[in-house]
Amino acid sequence: MDIARAPDSGTGETSDAPAPPDPVVPPAVPSSLGRKVRSAARWSLINTVVLRLGNFATGIVLARFALGPAEWGVYGIAQTVLLVLLSANELGVGLAIVRWEGDARRFAPTVLTLSTLSSGLLYVALFAAAPTVAGLLGSPDAANVLRVMCLCVVIDGVAQVPGGFLTREFAQGRRMIIDGLNFVLGTAVTLLLAFEGRGAMSFAWGAVVGNVVTLIGCALAAPGTLKFGWDPGQARALLRFGLPLAGASMLALAVVNVDTMVVGATLGNVALGFYVLAFNISGWPVRIISEAARRVSFAGFSRLAASPQALAQGFSRALGVVITGTVPLCVLLAGLAEPAIRLIYGSQWTPAAAALPWLMALGLIRIGSELAYDCLVAVGQRRSLFLVQGLWLVALIPVLLLAARLNGIVGVSQGHVLVAGGLVVPVFLIALHHGGIGLGRIARACAWPFLGGAVMAVIILGLQRLFGEGRLALLTIGTVALAGYAVCVLPSLDFLRGIGRQEMR
């Protein structure tokens, strides 16, 4: 099972030769760049949709026939720790492969050495601390699962260089084949072990097998990139480039996953299992739309960073596209939460439905903030990223702890939305404004989708009272609501396609 990473980066600094060059973007953006980005985006979207549908179907089978809420809770703890470790396992240096202009193969051996050493040391520390970490998070049974699943940290560290070259070259067609093999083999192992009664450990071994497949596939698709080497000057420049980004990335992952730790520690594994299911459902739009966009957005924004006007236009269009594609999914899942969960997963999982509408709102905020994060990284706003992520985490922890004790998993979901919408979104808007992207562009990108979402919500609420919650009723309601949304966003099609008058500042 593939473990998603957040592509974070920033600007680098030169050191004594032969350190990597500064990330200089050519003054004129090549005309071929747009074609590369569009082609990569199409392949990435196809890849993401196919894989997420496959993961969706796998999750249904596991939840209905093999695993209960407690096992999902243990898996949620292990997955959370893994994602936090992955956010900084290669010290941020792997992103230099994507970001810097010039011949990346010149410093790739040093990147590989740094990445492998740091991820290996991180895994050794986690192996020793696994029982303590699992106990602190309220899930002592997760210790062995942690030790197995976090082998992915080492595998991912080695795969950073070949995977980075594929991203740099917009080679999403090749990446789709690799991810497909990862899914097929990793999922096969997970299902086999789950039906043999291995519980959450089935996820762990499935993740390890899938990531080994990804490493082998990336190495074959980018031949000659798995070469170890060491140059002290390059290492110093890479660490100056990567360490701030690794810190920002760890903060970003902590923000997304601190709720799992809070729920596990305060409410127990069963409540955590319901919350993990709801959070995973809320993540469908994020994974399908945002993950596909982020596989090309950072590389694309990096190429446009030298032209503020081009960057602002590119960001506003990218935001419009991802928001337009995400809003209908979020509104449908929020409005039809309980009948959808009962129909798909079974009645034993309906307690998760109460948290889902709030988590869908959070998912929509996450999509916009992740795209803004990539844009700020591309223009070198590292200080802004630290401030935003640090502020988000500091505000979130006490709110979630209080909300969990007051209203369980629903309170945690509400606390997430309160902090993200009331505090973080305004701070991101200020940071983007300082980066040359005005509020008018952002408002234009979001206005029609938000109007369409409001119309969808009204349609869903009205038709539910009329038709009820049967399968045919859900299909009818969803179809009518999507039709209403499509009518509302029609005026924005020219903007999304880059046709028509100049975008607003």
Side-chain angles (χ1 to χ4, degrees):
M1 302 177 77
D2 187 28
I3 303 298
R5 293 181 54 86
D8 312 316
S9 188
T11 57
E13 302 175 44
T14 56
S15 179
D16 299 331
D22 275 328
V24 179
V25 181
V29 179
S31 60
S32 61
L33 176 60
R35 291 193 297 272
K36 288 182 179 179
V37 171
R38 286 191 294 271
S39 175
R42 283 193 295 269
W43 279 112
S44 182
L45 180 60
I46 294 170
N47 182 15
T48 305
V49 170
V50 171
L51 291 182
R52 295 313 166 193
L53 287 175
N55 280 323
F56 168 59
T58 303
I60 293 173
V61 172
L62 290 171
R64 276 188 170 273
F65 305 113
L67 303 176
E71 287 84 2
W72 279 95
V74 172
Y75 165 66
I77 289 293
Q79 175 82 336
T80 297
V81 174
L82 174 59
L83 288 174
V84 172
L85 295 181
L86 285 175
S87 67
N89 70 315
E90 36 72 73
L91 304 178
V93 298
L95 291 165
I97 300 294
V98 181
R99 179 66 177 94
W100 273 326
E101 295 293 326
D103 184 9
R105 290 179 183 268
R106 186 167 62 87
F107 55 90
T110 303
V111 172
L112 182 60
T113 301
L114 279 170
S115 180
T116 303
L117 284 175
S118 62
S119 59
L121 290 173
L122 197 59
Y123 178 74
V124 170
L126 182 278
F127 188 93
T132 302
V133 172
L136 289 174
L137 296 178
S139 184
D141 295 338
N144 289 331
V145 178
L146 274 175
R147 285 171 167 167
V148 173
M149 183 173 278
C150 287
L151 286 169
C152 297
V153 171
V154 181
I155 301 166
D156 179 81
V158 178
Q160 282 295 300
V161 170
F165 274 102
L166 293 180
T167 300
R168 178 187 179 91
E169 297 166 4
F170 299 98
Q172 294 302 319
R174 281 177 278 173
R175 189 59 194 251
M176 178 176 176
I177 297 173
I178 295 168
D179 289 345
L181 292 172
N182 174 322
F183 170 76
V184 170
L185 296 178
T187 301
V189 170
T190 299
L191 290 172
L192 178 63
L193 294 179
F195 281 99
E196 287 184 352
R198 299 291 298 276
M201 188 64 79
S202 59
F203 288 112
W205 283 115
V208 170
V209 170
N211 277 264
V212 169
V213 171
T214 294
L215 171 59
I216 295 172
C218 288
L220 293 175
T225 56
L226 283 182
K227 294 181 179 179
F228 290 92
W230 184 256
D231 184 289
Q234 291 178 351
R236 287 193 295 271
L238 287 164
L239 289 172
R240 282 200 302 271
F241 170 86
L243 286 175
L245 303 176
S249 181
M250 182 171 286
L251 281 174
L253 265 295
V255 164
V256 174
N257 292 284
V258 68
D259 53 353
T260 302
M261 301 179 188
V262 168
V263 173
T266 60
L267 302 177
N269 279 351
V270 174
L272 178 58
F274 291 128
Y275 184 82
V276 168
L277 183 78
F279 195 90
N280 285 345
I281 295 173
S282 74
W284 292 346
V286 178
R287 296 187 191 104
I288 291 174
I289 305 295
S290 183
E291 186 176 312
R294 296 192 82 195
R295 286 192 173 185
V296 297
S297 64
F298 173 64
F301 290 152
S302 297
R303 302 299 194 276
L304 298 174
S307 172
Q309 180 74 7
L311 179 66
Q313 292 178 1
F315 175 80
S316 62
R317 282 189 58 205
L319 180 64
V321 169
V322 298
I323 294 296
T324 300
T326 306
V327 164
L329 298 176
C330 289
V331 175
L332 279 177
L333 289 171
L336 303 173
E338 185 171 341
I341 289 178
R342 185 185 302 111
L343 175 65
I344 296 170
Y345 292 99
S347 57
Q348 72 271 26
W349 291 97
T350 52
L356 187 55
W358 298 98
L359 290 174
M360 294 314 308
L362 175 66
L364 189 60
I365 295 172
R366 283 175 56 199
I367 285 174
S369 65
E370 287 175 358
L371 197 68
Y373 190 101
D374 287 346
C375 184
L376 292 173
V377 166
V379 298
Q381 294 279 342
R382 287 181 289 179
R383 182 175 298 179
S384 296
L385 294 177
F386 270 117
L387 290 175
V388 173
Q389 300 297 340
L391 180 65
W392 197 344
L393 185 61
V394 168
L396 193 59
I397 292 174
V399 170
L400 294 188
L401 285 170
L402 178 62
R405 298 186 184 280
L406 291 177
N407 201 20
I409 64 173
V410 176
V412 172
S413 307
Q414 293 168 333
H416 246 315
V417 175
L418 175 65
V419 174
L423 178 65
V424 177
V425 169
V427 174
F428 260 122
L429 291 175
I430 293 171
L432 288 170
H433 178 73
H434 289 162
I437 300 171
L439 183 60
R441 290 185 182 275
I442 296 171
R444 183 179 182 186
C446 298
W448 292 110
F450 284 176
L451 173 63
V455 170
M456 282 188 71
V458 171
I459 292 173
I460 290 171
L461 291 174
L463 293 184
Q464 266 190 303
R465 295 192 183 97
L466 183 62
F467 294 132
E469 297 181 348
R471 294 184 182 183
L472 183 58
L474 292 180
L475 179 61
T476 302
I477 293 169
T479 302
V480 175
L482 288 174
Y485 180 79
V487 171
C488 290
V489 299
L490 278 177
S492 67
L493 289 184
D494 285 348
F495 167 72
L496 298 177
R497 294 165 58 195
I499 300 173
R501 63 187 179 86
Q502 187 76 8
E503 291 93 348
M504 293 171 58
R505 288 187 178 276

